[in-house]
Amino acid sequence: MKHFPIFLAVEGRRIVLSGGGEAALAKLRLLMKSEARIEVFATEPAEEIVAWAGAGRLHLTRRALRAGDVGDAVLFYAADEDEGEDARTAALAEAEGALVNIVDNLEDSRFITPAIVDRDPVTVAIGTEGAAPVLARAIKRDLEERLPASLGMLARVGKAFRPLADRLPFGRPRRDFWSDYYFGAGPRPDTPEAARAALDTLLDRHLAAEARAGHVSFVGAGPGDPELLTMKARRLLHEADVVIHDRLVTPEILELARREAVLVAAGKEGFGPSVAQCDIDAMIVEHAREGHQVVRLKSGDPTVFGRLDEEIEACEAAGVGYTVVPGITAASAAVAGIGQSLTKRGRNSEVRFLTGHDVAGFADHDWRALAAPGAVAAIYMGKRAARFLQGRLMMHGADASTPVTVVENASRPDQRVLTTTLADLEPALSRAALSGPALTFLGLAPRAAAEVLHTQDLMEAAR
Ligand code: SAH
């Protein structure tokens, strides 16, 4: 690209042109579309130029250009149709600091003028760097045909209407509305009043359709305590026609759905029986397509080990609108239950959320980093993988006395805390025979236990 296209601010600024013949006329027709102040210097101006000057569309001076005439002009056109005169006026303008174009002289011009499709405020500029003016004209013709003459007016009216259209949800619904306005079928409004009326009707139609259309909310149910629901989660649960929930979501939370709402258990639980993910995806989409308000209720936060993306993709593929409502993840609830922080100045400035197993089996991790002193990790779905984690961490040099805490049923009345060390994790975990969901912290002991250990250390040191 030897010429970089830009849109120059010319409103109220001067553009000077030297010349009064055909070349000048062609350029002036273009320039007069702009809101610049146009000044022409010509000894023999064409009739049209005289008429335009008479109509106040440009300012005409009937003599050749002289030094000082260009002054603060932003652009200068040499359209004298005479090589010598063009060179003289261009040099004058250049000396006065204007960007210079010499008509039909690409070589010596500082800028070139593109072919323009004008649907103000929509402007399409086409350039071929002088290589193929015929092509530029063909493209222009093509665009002229495709872009309705009223497009500029439509865009201006549309711009003023934007705040009203913001009543539609962000994303697809709003995009569909605008695309319907500009490219939809039906008669095209040809006056601003008709366009405005069309927008009003169209918006009503889209809002109504939006209200009728099914919608999916991916809602975080938190760790189990109903008081740890967000207010938004509570409201959506109350409004839902269908609630598709994980097995981990507690009955107390499901209680908050309306009596008439359909409750569907579609969870996956550890290694037990579960509904296939693609069936869950299909179920969500199907209910939304029937026009239902669907709440897909996921334990904790939907974005943490929740296979959220697959379900979102299913909605997107089906053109179903969705929103994501965050929830309190198990790690946050569990750490609160042991009076610790996930991060702490001087101890750990990062915390990792891991899963004990993934699609391929026990999940692999950056064991070296996890084995480092002070490392803190929240391990989800870690019960079965405990022995594997223990082995890998010890193998990578983790201290056998690293504290490990397992919090079962975090935030629920039956919450249990198992305090152990990396070396003792198994068999301690098997012995405890936890049956509820459990979160394992590597590198964290409950505050009280940490204090006991700390005092023991002090006592030992004192001995
Ligand atoms: N999206 C969920 C996690 C789903 S994976 C969240 O953000 O919490 C399921 C795992 O989360 C369980 O195997 C368990 O490790 C953990 N978990 C969920 N609820 C829990 C709870 N109340 N107490 C402890 N761990 C819990």
Side-chain angles (χ1 to χ4, degrees):
M1 208 190 282
K2 291 201 183 105
H3 292 79
F4 185 71
I6 55 168
F7 287 91
L8 190 70
V10 295
E11 186 190 4
R13 303 177 76 181
R14 295 171 62 238
I15 296 180
V16 174
L17 180 141
S18 168
E22 281 304 320
L25 282 174
K27 284 290 177 271
L28 287 171
R29 282 196 192 96
L30 263 187
L31 291 172
M32 284 187 316
K33 289 175 185 289
S34 79
E35 285 165 43
R37 279 160 45 208
I38 297 157
E39 294 179 18
V40 178
F41 290 83
T43 36
E44 291 166 35
E47 272 171 36
E48 289 94 325
I49 300 181
V50 178
W52 289 330
R57 299 185 62 189
L58 50 78
H59 186 270
L60 174 64
T61 308
R62 286 168 182 263
R63 60 162 170 78
L65 188 88
R66 293 199 292 249
D69 285 339
V70 176
D72 61 0
V74 280
L75 297 181
F76 174 77
Y77 282 90
D80 306 286
E81 296 171 55
D82 174 309
E83 244 174 72
E85 182 61 0
D86 276 346
R88 185 189 73 83
T89 58
L92 281 178
E94 187 118 25
E96 285 166 35
L99 270 178
V100 170
N101 173 276
I102 304 173
V103 177
D104 290 333
N105 180 348
L106 183 67
E107 197 95 312
D108 299 323
S109 290
R110 297 284 296 278
F111 73 94
I112 52 180
T113 317
I116 291 171
V117 179
D118 173 25
R119 298 286 186 272
D120 183 50
V122 180
T123 310
V124 185
I126 306 150
T128 60
E129 309 216 313
V134 177
L135 186 59
R137 273 198 293 278
I139 296 172
K140 176 174 151 79
R141 217 174 25 246
D142 195 38
L143 286 173
E144 294 276 7
E145 274 167 24
R146 266 201 291 168
L147 302 179
S150 57
L151 187 69
M153 180 274 290
L154 290 179
R156 271 193 302 278
V157 177
K159 186 176 174 189
F161 196 79
R162 283 188 89 94
L164 289 175
D166 288 355
R167 282 165 63 199
L168 282 165
F170 182 76
R172 185 193 48 81
R174 227 179 271 174
R175 278 200 306 276
D176 285 355
F177 169 77
W178 286 114
S179 137
D180 222 6
Y181 173 58
Y182 286 112
F183 305 107
R188 217 166 259 296
D190 49 7
T191 64
E193 294 71 29
R196 173 60 210 234
L199 275 170
D200 283 328
T201 326
L202 201 60
L203 182 61
D204 283 345
R205 214 169 68 218
H206 277 250
L207 283 170
E210 196 54 38
R212 268 196 320 276
H215 183 89
V216 178
S217 305
F218 294 100
V219 177
D225 177 355
E227 286 194 34
L228 290 180
L229 277 175
T230 61
M231 289 166 78
K232 194 170 237 170
R234 215 196 139 129
R235 176 173 63 76
L236 289 169
L237 258 176
H238 185 71
E239 290 170 1
D241 301 311
V242 181
V243 179
I244 303 174
H245 63 92
D246 280 0
R247 283 173 212 263
L248 282 180
V249 176
T250 53
E252 295 89 318
I253 288 176
L254 294 175
E255 273 297 302
L256 299 171
R258 284 182 305 142
R259 293 255 161 273
E260 313 78 64
V262 178
L263 297 188
V264 188
K268 325 199 95 203
E269 188 179 22
F271 294 79
S274 54
V275 185
Q277 184 64 46
C278 56
D279 293 337
I280 302 180
D281 300 348
M283 187 157 49
I284 296 172
V285 165
E286 200 180 300
H287 283 294
R289 278 212 169 137
E290 285 165 8
H292 292 133
Q293 299 303 309
V294 179
V295 162
R296 171 68 175 118
L297 195 59
K298 289 170 166 290
S299 79
D301 183 273
T303 73
V304 179
F305 304 127
R307 302 190 70 168
L308 173 65
D309 300 73
E310 291 151 64
E311 296 177 11
I312 286 184
E313 276 153 28
C315 287
E316 276 176 342
V320 168
Y322 66 88
T323 39
V324 180
V325 179
I328 293 182
T329 190
S332 300
V335 81
I338 61 170
Q340 288 285 17
S341 296
L342 286 173
T343 60
K344 185 176 174 186
R345 265 165 71 159
R347 182 189 65 204
N348 65 314
S349 56
E350 65 162 36
V351 59
R352 290 168 188 241
F353 286 19
L354 316 179
T355 171
H357 63 83
D358 58 21
V359 276
F362 292 145
D364 239 321
H365 297 290
D366 181 355
W367 302 114
R368 190 178 297 278
L370 289 167
V376 171
I379 304 165
Y380 290 70
M381 296 171 275
K383 272 193 293 185
R384 286 212 169 203
R387 195 172 287 286
F388 171 77
L389 292 163
Q390 193 180 27
R392 283 289 187 282
L393 287 165
M394 304 278 269
M395 200 167 90
H396 284 80
D399 190 331
S401 66
T402 305
V404 173
T405 306
V406 183
V407 184
E408 183 199 27
N409 295 322
S411 86
R412 306 182 190 177
D414 50 356
Q415 169 174 307
R416 277 206 291 168
V417 178
L418 174 72
T419 307
T420 179
T421 61
L422 187 57
D424 292 336
L425 175 58
E426 276 300 354
L429 196 57
S430 294
R431 224 184 295 125
L434 309 179
S435 56
L439 193 110
T440 306
F441 284 119
L442 172 74
L444 282 186
R447 177 169 296 279
E451 264 161 26
V452 172
L453 287 176
H454 184 61
T455 351
Q456 275 172 358
D457 284 351
L458 288 182
M459 278 156 58
E460 253 163 45
R463 258 188 236 130

